[in-house]
Amino acid sequence: MKNDIVLEITIPNQTCYLSLVGKIGESMAKELDRYDGDREELASRINTVLTEALVNAIKHANVTDPTKEILVRINISGKELAIRVFDNGQGFDLNRVPDPCFDSDILNENGRGLFIIRSLMDSVVYKKANGGNVLEMKKSLR
Amino acid sequence: MKNDIVLEITIPNQTCYLSLVGKIGESMAKELDRYDGDREELASRINTVLTEALVNAIKHANVTDPTKEILVRINISGKELAIRVFDNGQGFDLNRVPDPCFDSDILNENGRGLFIIRSLMDSVVYKKANGGNVLEMKKSLR
Amino acid sequence: MNLKTETSGGSVIVFVKEERLDAHNSGDLKTEMNRLFEGGSINLIIDLKEVRFIDSSGLGVLVSGFKNASTRHGTIKLSAMQTQVKSMFELTRLHRVFDIYATVDDALES
Amino acid sequence: MNLKTETSGGSVIVFVKEERLDAHNSGDLKTEMNRLFEGGSINLIIDLKEVRFIDSSGLGVLVSGFKNASTRHGTIKLSAMQTQVKSMFELTRLHRVFDIYATVDDALES
Ligand SMILES: Nc1ncnc2c1ncn2[C@@H]1O[C@H](COP(=O)(O)OP(=O)(O)O)[C@@H](O)[C@H]1O
Ligand SMILES: Nc1ncnc2c1ncn2[C@@H]1O[C@H](COP(=O)(O)OP(=O)(O)O)[C@@H](O)[C@H]1O
């Protein structure tokens, strides 16, 4: 467990908390001495990924029920960053979500969230956890 | 539980993580829409209080053992902010800590931490919790 | 959401005076654009100078404005993108769809 | 810790080039002040212009410098405090102990 950092944030199921979580993720990244890369860029990436994953949990899983709560967990273990966003919805199949960038659907208004997450992180998995689901996003800090 | 925000941070028992936690606390405060007061001032206060409480846990309770961990929990519930810093040390009697500002000891190099915490928060309690101790600091957000 | 609207020549400039354009507030921009379209304004410039952060919902709202303008044979131009915003357009290839300008004045003169 | 030292007249100016002066890094400032005192410099100006945050350990290190300077019949002056730093001095009443100046130049001229 040496040198591990764990950050857990619980927020109400409301989009007004997106920026709170995004900013917290950003400040964490900016202080990550152990990351030799561009920390500003990492901070912005984490802000984006957290926002996209939270919006999906709020809109698709918790169906905008403002009395629910969302748990986000960020683990920094050695040179690995893992972000987990938990939801209690019906779940979905990550592998069936189409890539939005083909010419035919470039003008879709939705469907870019997971593409963005996958582009900015090294690995993305969606699976059952804690009686609900978790979107697990990892990135190497090397 | 409606509208509650919970933030838990676990860090290694090392002073190099002070600024990480301080900054996270600051960004949280800056995003607190529900607080009508000066959010910059609140952010700076939280940064200070977190730093002082963490240093005490690191230096006095965990006796600078870098393999230990420290847990910080911040709860925002309605109009109340509560910050808890947990330690596994021998504990101490908060009521016996002298006020450092009398003329005679103004030139002491130590002994200002708890005075600062008490000045910046509404209530401060130190008690047993989770098989260890917790410094519990509360402030109304009205 | 804090929006400021100005008319200049045949265009309406919408200044997005927010640090974030995300799922929380981008609906307001959509409503404002729809109001403008319905009021007969078909050439919009959306100024993003103050926007430091955009998410997929923010992008989606701009795409909706683009489609709405096209249907009405109008135009939508974007100005003053910051780094993160520009990189989100590039990542989703939407920079090929929109006319993007460094400043509002550049957009007006184009 | 990032410190820059300059000599001007009979004083040594130590510029603390850190955003925070806290329990993590203030020991380095103490070491540097002690090194200067032992080298015979007894009039120090500590410039805090870049310091946005100070904690009780940072204050303690400055108090240690104050005592060390007094013992040697020297002086320690502080310059360019930001808001949070100033309010920490006021809260702990240490603003009555130290000579505090708006800028390094003010401290030098005093
Ligand atoms: N947490 C989730 N729970 C259930 N379904 C989800 C979740 N996240 C994503 N989805 C599904 O995946 C689809 C694609 O998501 P995304 O790429 O983020 O785009 P968008 O949210 O704009 O539709 C969503 O429309 C939804 O059907
Ligand atoms: N978490 C803790 N565990 C044990 N003792 C503590 C703890 N926090 C504070 N103390 C005791 O209270 C004293 C006063 O603390 P404080 O006012 O923060 O000043 P300082 O840490 O500079 O001595 C400490 O010297 C220590 O003896």
Side-chain angles (χ1 to χ4, degrees):
Chain A
M1 291 292 283
K2 225 173 133 185
N3 280 327
D4 284 11
I5 300 170
V6 187
L7 187 67
E8 273 195 21
I9 314 172
T10 309
I11 51 158
N13 189 46
Q14 296 163 36
T15 54
C16 62
Y17 295 102
L18 292 174
S19 87
L20 177 91
V21 180
K23 286 278 176 61
I24 289 175
E26 269 197 330
S27 13
M28 195 208 55
K30 286 187 190 158
E31 293 292 315
L32 271 191
D33 287 347
R34 68 184 70 174
Y35 182 54
D36 301 322
D38 180 344
R39 278 192 246 163
E40 289 289 330
E41 199 274 334
L42 179 70
S44 153
R45 203 179 270 248
I46 290 178
N47 191 350
T48 300
V49 162
L50 282 169
T51 303
E52 298 295 344
L54 282 171
V55 171
N56 279 351
I58 295 172
K59 298 212 164 155
H60 301 305
N62 297 344
V63 228
T64 331
D65 174 350
T67 65
K68 290 198 180 175
E69 290 188 323
I70 302 188
L71 172 65
V72 181
R73 187 182 301 136
I74 306 178
N75 288 68
I76 295 152
S77 187
K79 290 280 195 179
E80 189 183 69
L81 164 75
I83 301 178
R84 291 181 179 82
V85 174
F86 294 84
D87 76 60
N88 292 303
Q90 71 289 358
F92 75 108
D93 186 349
L94 185 58
N95 299 317
R96 294 224 181 152
V97 175
D99 181 340
C101 280
F102 299 116
D103 289 342
S104 62
D105 46 30
I106 183 96
L107 290 183
N108 281 357
E109 289 174 38
N110 302 305
R112 290 180 182 84
L114 287 165
F115 168 78
I116 290 169
I117 292 173
R118 285 201 266 220
S119 307
L120 300 181
M121 300 296 280
D122 296 340
S123 82
V124 182
V125 172
Y126 186 78
K127 61 185 183 193
K128 299 244 162 281
N130 298 358
N133 313 287
V134 62
L135 185 70
E136 190 177 277
M137 301 160 280
K138 295 187 177 169
K139 182 165 171 16
S140 158
L141 296 177
R142 263 168 232 285
Chain B
M1 291 292 281
K2 222 171 135 187
N3 279 328
D4 285 11
I5 300 170
V6 187
L7 187 66
E8 275 195 19
I9 314 172
T10 309
I11 50 158
N13 189 46
Q14 296 165 36
T15 54
C16 63
Y17 295 102
L18 292 174
S19 87
L20 177 90
V21 180
K23 288 279 176 61
I24 289 175
E26 269 197 331
S27 15
M28 195 207 56
K30 286 188 192 160
E31 293 291 315
L32 270 191
D33 287 346
R34 68 183 71 173
Y35 182 54
D36 301 323
D38 180 344
R39 277 191 247 162
E40 289 290 330
E41 201 275 333
L42 179 70
S44 154
R45 203 178 270 250
I46 291 178
N47 192 349
T48 300
V49 162
L50 283 169
T51 303
E52 297 295 343
L54 282 171
V55 171
N56 281 350
I58 295 171
K59 298 212 164 156
H60 302 305
N62 297 344
V63 228
T64 331
D65 174 350
T67 65
K68 290 197 179 174
E69 290 188 322
I70 301 188
L71 172 66
V72 181
R73 188 182 300 136
I74 305 178
N75 288 69
I76 294 152
S77 186
K79 289 281 195 180
E80 189 182 69
L81 165 74
I83 301 179
R84 291 181 179 83
V85 174
F86 295 84
D87 76 60
N88 293 303
Q90 72 289 359
F92 75 108
D93 186 348
L94 185 59
N95 299 317
R96 294 222 181 153
V97 175
D99 182 339
C101 280
F102 299 116
D103 291 342
S104 64
D105 46 31
I106 182 97
L107 290 184
N108 281 357
E109 289 174 39
N110 302 306
R112 290 180 183 84
L114 286 164
F115 168 78
I116 290 169
I117 292 173
R118 285 201 267 219
S119 307
L120 300 181
M121 300 296 280
D122 297 339
S123 82
V124 182
V125 171
Y126 186 79
K127 61 184 184 193
K128 300 244 161 281
N130 297 359
N133 313 287
V134 63
L135 185 71
E136 190 177 277
M137 301 159 281
K138 294 188 177 170
K139 182 164 171 19
S140 158
L141 295 177
R142 263 168 233 285
Chain C
M1 171 178 242
N2 199 348
L3 297 173
K4 213 185 86 195
T5 304
E6 248 175 48
T7 305
S8 178
S11 296
V12 178
I13 314 165
V14 181
F15 295 90
V16 180
K17 299 187 110 29
E18 294 283 340
E19 208 190 285
R20 287 172 64 101
L21 182 58
D22 64 14
H24 182 56
N25 61 11
S26 56
D28 293 353
L29 175 60
K30 188 168 186 169
T31 306
E32 175 65 6
M33 287 192 300
N34 287 344
R35 199 184 62 78
L36 291 168
F37 287 130
E38 272 147 37
S41 310
I42 55 165
N43 297 312
L44 304 189
I45 298 171
I46 313 294
D47 184 76
L48 300 171
K49 190 172 173 193
E50 298 194 13
V51 180
R52 205 174 62 80
F53 178 90
I54 195 168
D55 72 355
S56 64
S57 307
L59 293 172
V61 161
L62 293 172
V63 168
S64 125
F66 177 88
K67 291 196 286 192
N68 224 322
S70 303
T71 312
R72 293 161 202 265
H73 305 287
T75 58
I76 186 162
K77 297 173 183 175
L78 307 178
S79 64
M81 283 187 191
Q82 295 190 32
T83 324
Q84 188 268 1
V85 176
K86 184 168 286 169
S87 74
M88 288 289 278
F89 274 82
E90 286 165 0
L91 182 60
T92 55
R93 296 176 218 177
L94 285 170
H95 63 301
R96 299 187 189 168
V97 170
F98 286 92
D99 288 323
I100 297 171
Y101 299 88
T103 65
V104 173
D105 287 343
D106 287 355
L108 277 169
E109 279 163 25
S110 68
Chain D
M1 172 179 241
N2 199 349
L3 297 172
K4 213 185 84 196
T5 303
E6 248 175 47
T7 306
S8 178
S11 297
V12 178
I13 314 165
V14 180
F15 294 91
V16 181
K17 299 186 109 32
E18 293 283 342
E19 207 191 284
R20 289 172 63 101
L21 182 57
D22 65 13
H24 182 56
N25 60 11
S26 57
D28 292 352
L29 176 60
K30 188 169 186 169
T31 307
E32 175 65 5
M33 288 192 301
N34 288 344
R35 199 184 62 79
L36 291 168
F37 287 130
E38 273 147 36
S41 310
I42 56 165
N43 297 313
L44 304 190
I45 298 171
I46 313 294
D47 184 76
L48 300 170
K49 190 171 173 195
E50 297 193 14
V51 180
R52 205 173 62 80
F53 178 91
I54 195 167
D55 72 355
S56 64
S57 308
L59 294 172
V61 162
L62 294 172
V63 168
S64 127
F66 177 88
K67 291 196 286 193
N68 224 324
S70 304
T71 311
R72 294 164 201 264
H73 306 287
T75 58
I76 187 161
K77 296 174 183 174
L78 307 179
S79 62
M81 283 187 192
Q82 294 192 32
T83 324
Q84 189 269 1
V85 176
K86 185 167 283 168
S87 73
M88 289 290 277
F89 274 82
E90 286 165 0
L91 182 60
T92 55
R93 296 178 219 175
L94 285 171
H95 63 302
R96 298 187 189 168
V97 171
F98 286 92
D99 289 324
I100 297 171
Y101 299 88
T103 64
V104 172
D105 287 343
D106 288 354
L108 278 169
E109 280 162 25
S110 69

